[in-house]
Amino acid sequence: MTFEPLYSLSGLFVGALVGITGVGGGSLMTPLLVLLFGVHPATAVGTDLLYAAITKTAGTAVHGIHGRVNWKIVSSLAAGSVPAALLMLWVLAGVDRKSIGVTNTITVALGWLLIMTAIMLVFRGSILELARRAIGHRTPPRPTTILILTVILGFCLGVLVTLTSVGAGALGVTILLALYPRLNVREIVGSDIVHAVPLTLIGGSGYWLIGEIDWAMLFALLVGSIPGIVIGSLLAPKLHERTIRIVLAVTLAVVAWKLLAG
């Protein structure tokens, strides 16, 4: 195991952006590892999942202390995401992860998810407004219907996060806001972060069991990202978040193009 300072520098950069924007590190870290450092997509995803599980644990504690967690939403999401994560890990364990087919599948899925994340970053408000207008004065969905849709959302997130490490942040929060329009945004975000901890921990542990974790890289990323998140959180009130989100969205779109174009 050799310590690579560039990984820590990347962790510092990603951690700062996470602290400023609240966007999940998977949207940034996995493509950075693949494109900049040439890490195999499966190893990048597995390592990033454990990285996310560790870094999001602190966020879970903060949101839990301030009562910003809706445990019904968390449990409903987990009811779908945990089986989905286990199913994806079973599939990945049975295939040649170094093959061109698997590599391309992960890369293409990652690219399209980054595009969707970029769209959500810039147009989340407009998308939610369109959803509200579409519903209009119709009878609100029954609680049972919302519960089922939340479980289905959890299943989709379980598949996407386990395959690419991306999806639980911008995408998950936007859909939850549409499903639960009366809940406070902070409660939605807190619930999403809490749900992401067991999901990424299960995914990361699964990748560990099938031999796709780079421990030296994980340690180096954490060394940089933990102070990065603190710095970003301190800078956030002094920066124009909307501008940062647009710059981040453009960056994600460029990265997605690079991944999809090969």
Side-chain angles (χ1 to χ4, degrees), residues 100-119:
I100 294 177
V102 173
T103 300
N104 287 344
T105 298
I106 296 176
T107 302
V108 170
L110 179 59
W112 282 110
L113 278 171
L114 290 180
I115 290 175
M116 293 175 67
T117 300
I119 292 172

Side-chain angles (χ1 to χ4, degrees), residues 18 20 24 39 61 66 85 90 98 107-108 152 198 208 213 219 224 261:
V18 170
I20 293 170
V39 178
H66 290 88
W90 176 75
K98 305 301 182 186
T107 302
V108 170
I152 293 173
W208 175 19
I213 300 293
F219 176 72

Side-chain angles (χ1 to χ4, degrees), residues 73 75-84 144-160 175-176 179-180 195:
I73 292 177
S75 59
S76 299
L77 289 171
S81 66
V82 171
T144 304
T145 303
I146 294 176
L147 176 64
I148 293 172
L149 291 174
T150 305
V151 174
I152 293 173
L153 172 61
F155 185 89
C156 295
L157 292 178
V159 171
L160 296 175
I175 297 174
L176 285 174
L179 288 174
Y180 300 90
H195 163 252

Side-chain angles (χ1 to χ4, degrees), residues 76-92:
S76 299
L77 289 171
S81 66
V82 171
L86 294 174
L87 176 63
M88 283 303 303
L89 289 169
W90 176 75
V91 171
L92 288 168

